Amino acid sequence: MIGRKQEQPAVDPAAVRLAQLTARHDQALARIEEGLRTAGRDRRTADVLLDLRNLLRPPERPS
């Protein structure tokens, strides 16, 4: 009907925040992987990036 607003479905703020954090997590992992590809002979940088990547990766589930 004209003049009536349709109700918007309720958005769970926790779900929105989780989606934002997941996207940032994925971006961080992508940047770390890129850094590892371009680190070359700089072992310190590579070691730090490897440590960060290991911290950010979710633990593997046993089969």
Side-chain angles (χ1 to χ4, degrees), residues 7-26:
E7 272 192 46
Q8 295 292 326
V11 177
D12 182 6
V16 171
R17 186 67 179 141
L18 178 61
Q20 291 170 339
L21 291 174
T22 300
R24 291 177 79 185
H25 178 266
D26 293 344

Side-chain angles (χ1 to χ4, degrees), residues 35-43 46:
L36 284 170
R37 282 192 289 278
T38 60
R41 294 178 184 252
D42 187 354
R43 248 349 269 171

